[in-house]
């Protein structure tokens, strides 16, 4: 598997994002929150992902963009944990809920915890 995060793997559809926040389930590993839903999407990949950082907590676009870049990078490196476990297509959004900026190393650890928690949740739901 390639460790890339291409256009097909990113969540861009406004309809899917709306459906995700209306019907999706949520899990948290501070400072990250994931809202996910099992649904069909147009991508050939098993998962589509989006990241968000609230403007309320970070007024500067530079800060928001930096955190989003860090989140995408940590997901890109740890996505194999999800890809190995998922059978049905899923869509999820990862939100940053802390009020201060975390280091890359700390975010990487938390992203791994979040993704393993997600895998256990979907395995529990499938049984």
């Amino acid at each position: 598997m390639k460790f890339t995060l291409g256009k097909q793997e990113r969540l861009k559809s406004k309809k899917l994002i709306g459906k995700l926040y209306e019907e999706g389930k949520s899990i948290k590993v501070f400072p990250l929150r994931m809202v996910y839903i099992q649904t069909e999407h147009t991508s050939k990949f098993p998962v589509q992902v989006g990241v968000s950082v609230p403007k309320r907590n970070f007024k500067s676009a530079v800060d928001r963009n930096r955190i989003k870049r860090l989140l995408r990078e940590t997901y890109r490196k740890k996505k194999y944990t999800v890809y190995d476990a998922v059978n049905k297509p899923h869509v999820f959004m990862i939100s940053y809920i802390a009020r201060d900026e975390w280091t890359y190393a700390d975010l990487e650890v938390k992203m791994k915890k979040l993704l393993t928690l997600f895998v256990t949740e979907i395995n529990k739901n499938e049984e």
Side-chain angles (χ1 to χ4, degrees), residues 31-81:
L32 304 174
R33 177 174 162 250
M34 177 192 283
V35 180
Y36 66 94
I37 189 169
Q38 191 276 312
T39 184
E40 293 296 323
H41 52 76
T42 57
S43 172
K44 63 184 180 193
F45 293 96
V47 171
Q48 277 193 330
V49 63
V51 296
S52 71
V53 179
K55 197 173 189 177
R56 180 179 14 168
N57 296 347
F58 295 93
K59 303 293 185 211
S60 170
V62 174
D63 294 336
R64 287 194 307 274
N65 291 337
R66 174 174 167 66
I67 294 169
K68 284 191 280 189
R69 202 165 46 244
L70 290 175
L71 290 178
R72 281 193 297 266
E73 178 68 8
T74 55
Y75 172 76
R76 182 185 71 82
K77 288 199 170 173
K78 303 293 180 192
K79 72 178 182 179
Y80 63 87
T81 58

Side-chain angles (χ1 to χ4, degrees), residues 5-17:
L5 189 63
K7 191 175 181 181
Q8 291 278 309
E9 293 176 86
R10 296 192 186 186
L11 178 61
K12 297 288 186 181
S13 168
K14 288 190 190 269
K15 284 183 184 176
L16 275 179
I17 293 170

Side-chain angles (χ1 to χ4, degrees), residues 21 65 82 86:
Y21 281 112
N65 291 337
V82 173
V86 171

